[in-house]
Amino acid sequence: MSSSANRRVLSGMRPTGQLHLGHYHGVLKNWLKLQNEYECFFFVADWHALTTEYEAPQEIAGSVFDMVIDWLAAGINPGTAKLFIQSHIPEHAELHLLLSMCTPLSWLERVPSYKDQQEKLSNRDLTTYGFLGYPLLQSADILIYKAGNVPVGEDQVAHVELAREIARRFNYLYGREPGFEEKAEAAAKKLGKKNNKLYHDLRRSYQEQGDTLALDKARAMLVSQQNISIGDRERLYGYLEGGGKVIFPEPQALLSPASKMPGLDGQKMSKSYGNTINLRESPASVGEKIRTMPTDPARIRRSDPGDPDKCPVWGLHQVYSDDDLKQWVQAGCTTATIGCLDCKKPVVDAILREQSPIRERAKEYQKDKETVKAIIADGCEVARDVARETMEEVREAMGLDYT
Ligand code: TRP
Ligand code: SF4
């Protein structure tokens, strides 16, 4: 099933401490855009956090609610996007287990993040079963909602690719449901007389003559059908090509625009580099952090000219300043007509302006934990209904629905 047909978006974030401006510019702003265009499910990946933080799970517990508050404060709209917690939907674990039965070990061992992270986090023992299964759990997260689109950063693309392979394998192994043809024919009847005929004509053109244009047309027609269920749609997709039922549509990575948010030292903003400004950092602390930020080392005295390209503050101007302001920095820095504190001032102002409404909204939510809990409960309920339905289908496909 193509992603354009499947308007469901799913993404998760691990609760490992306070969110910072890197998360805001790299992930949350993208989510804000998507929530108006797609049916969005966003969740707290607490089990994923546990794969690396299993020795200190208390930290996870402490971050779960704060992270949801950060999302809401940033403008995620719970009326549109569904927010939930992974561990509240135990079906993820059941699907992870069932998928583990048919996942070759080598598929997991060759996911690049497996070895990379083990080397990077060498202070922890990550030679665990759970850590090896990290991307498979992620596949279960994605597939259980039949999400077509998964917004992720570059480092997660290989995980979505694994989810595609898992979906394909599962469909191949278990997609041959008994009575498939009859069910597909019954689904085609629900398209109405005209579209039913069109569907069969196009299907024949594709199957008899390999006419891929006809295949595309038939798919496009299915996309425009509002009143058939996801299950029927997947049957009709599978039937077009002659195969079995598509239980799991193949998800696609929606690569988030690379975050240009630099940290205080000019490297990518990241908790592990200790160069972050938190989303809800106090104004005093923001001011202090920017004031003490390093600048072009050539500017020892106020009268020494500098080069913005050698200065991490310039990176922040790229994010926050318009062309006029940037020109002022270029001219002032290279001629030593402005000082570094002059140069930093508009950056501090811009960050405070950005954070102010976020901080205000966060304060409201913090005072009103019940509302946050209700938002999560509502999201969990919707998510769980979808997850339960998928699991019924999965158990049936695998022949595990004995009573
Ligand atoms: N692994 C993701 C990360 O570290 C988090 C995650 C877990 C996720 N499950 C997911 C992202 C499913 C997208 C879809 O950022
Ligand atoms: Fe950096 Fe601005 Fe100082 Fe130049 S004037 S070195 S760009 S802080």
Side-chain angles (χ1 to χ4, degrees):
M1 183 174 197
S2 71
S3 63
S4 60
N6 185 331
R7 306 295 297 171
R8 187 173 287 160
V9 157
L10 172 110
S11 201
M13 238 191 246
R14 281 170 299 149
T16 49
Q18 293 248 318
L19 293 194
H20 52 66
L21 292 178
H23 293 114
Y24 180 65
H25 286 270
V27 184
L28 288 175
K29 276 166 88 178
N30 194 35
W31 286 13
L32 291 176
K33 194 160 73 62
L34 292 170
Q35 70 177 351
N36 299 317
E37 299 167 9
Y38 293 88
E39 179 196 14
C40 288
F41 286 82
F42 298 131
F43 72 98
V44 180
D46 52 346
W47 280 337
H48 277 103
L50 208 50
T51 62
T52 54
E53 317 295 313
Y54 60 88
E55 286 181 279
Q58 326 66 269
E59 304 224 0
I60 299 173
S63 316
V64 168
F65 281 90
D66 269 343
M67 191 161 85
V68 176
I69 290 178
D70 281 337
W71 295 353
L72 294 166
I76 298 295
N77 176 0
T80 327
K82 292 299 157 209
L83 310 182
F84 66 94
I85 297 171
Q86 183 183 37
S87 64
H88 287 9
I89 318 289
E91 283 78 8
H92 289 225
E94 184 185 354
L95 183 57
H96 178 205
L97 176 96
L98 294 179
L99 294 177
S100 78
M101 303 302 170
C102 60
T103 302
L105 208 47
S106 61
W107 289 17
L108 296 174
E109 285 165 342
R110 70 163 192 241
V111 173
S113 58
Y114 178 56
K115 292 232 159 58
D116 289 356
Q117 290 295 104
Q118 278 187 342
E119 280 165 26
K120 217 172 134 204
L121 305 176
S122 56
N123 54 334
R124 303 186 196 160
D125 183 359
L126 295 182
T127 58
T128 58
Y129 179 49
F131 190 68
L132 179 67
Y134 184 110
L136 189 63
L137 178 59
Q138 187 163 350
S139 298
D141 297 339
I142 297 168
L143 299 179
I144 206 163
Y145 299 102
K146 303 190 179 194
N149 298 286
V150 185
V152 286
E154 192 92 59
D155 61 320
Q156 298 287 312
V157 172
H159 294 176
V160 181
E161 190 51 44
L162 177 75
R164 292 168 65 84
E165 285 172 19
I166 300 283
R168 237 174 274 145
R169 182 164 168 85
F170 190 94
N171 293 334
Y172 171 75
L173 287 172
Y174 308 113
R176 288 143 210 274
E177 59 179 346
F180 172 70
E181 286 205 6
E182 291 73 15
K183 283 184 185 165
E185 287 295 345
K189 284 219 177 69
K190 293 184 200 158
L191 297 170
K193 213 170 181 175
K194 202 170 118 240
N195 281 330
N196 183 11
K197 175 162 185 316
L198 180 64
Y199 177 85
H200 282 95
D201 289 347
L202 292 169
R203 177 173 181 265
R204 197 170 321 110
S205 294
Y206 174 67
Q207 293 197 353
E208 287 177 7
Q209 293 141 38
D211 181 353
T212 52
L213 219 71
L215 181 64
D216 289 344
K217 263 194 214 155
R219 285 180 174 161
M221 184 269 283
L222 291 176
V223 173
S224 67
Q225 298 299 308
Q226 302 298 331
N227 43 6
I228 55 173
S229 67
I230 293 188
D232 274 347
R233 201 196 299 270
E234 296 305 342
R235 275 183 195 103
L236 291 169
Y237 266 101
Y239 194 47
L240 271 178
E241 291 170 82
K245 182 184 171 192
V246 179
I247 297 159
F248 293 129
E250 288 178 34
Q252 276 206 334
L254 273 186
L255 196 57
S256 325
S259 169
K260 293 194 192 71
M261 190 68 203
L264 294 164
D265 56 359
Q267 298 187 79
K268 182 181 155 152
M269 188 177 280
S270 161
K271 188 180 163 194
S272 55
Y273 298 146
N275 63 359
T276 59
I277 296 175
N278 289 335
L279 201 56
R280 292 188 249 154
E281 186 114 20
S282 76
S285 172
V286 172
E288 183 59 18
K289 281 186 173 177
I290 302 281
R291 255 193 305 281
T292 54
M293 224 180 125
T295 59
D296 177 359
R299 290 204 79 177
I300 300 166
R301 273 157 305 191
R302 166 74 169 73
S303 56
D304 295 328
D307 177 358
D309 284 333
K310 298 194 176 122
C311 175
V313 179
W314 179 236
L316 292 177
H317 277 291
Q318 302 298 328
V319 175
Y320 289 105
S321 305
D322 62 14
D323 286 344
D324 284 351
L325 197 51
K326 281 191 272 191
Q327 241 160 20
W328 172 81
V329 172
Q330 280 288 349
C333 177
T334 51
T335 57
T337 47
I338 60 168
C340 289
L341 286 178
D342 303 325
C343 179
K344 289 172 170 180
K345 171 93 174 42
V347 170
V348 175
D349 292 345
I351 294 177
L352 295 184
R353 225 176 300 127
E354 175 173 78
Q355 285 177 320
S356 161
I358 296 176
R359 210 180 295 112
E360 283 309 306
R361 278 193 294 257
K363 225 185 265 167
E364 293 301 309
Y365 283 116
Q366 258 178 326
K367 272 193 279 183
D368 189 5
K369 285 261 163 65
E370 289 311 308
T371 297
V372 180
K373 283 192 179 154
I375 288 169
I376 294 172
D378 171 63
C380 283
E381 201 179 307
V382 176
R384 189 142 198 216
D385 279 347
V386 178
R388 280 198 174 124
E389 203 177 310
T390 304
M391 285 317 296
E392 272 175 29
E393 231 182 298
V394 166
R395 288 184 215 110
E396 189 191 312
M398 293 180 76
L400 301 172
D401 54 340
Y402 27 74
T403 42

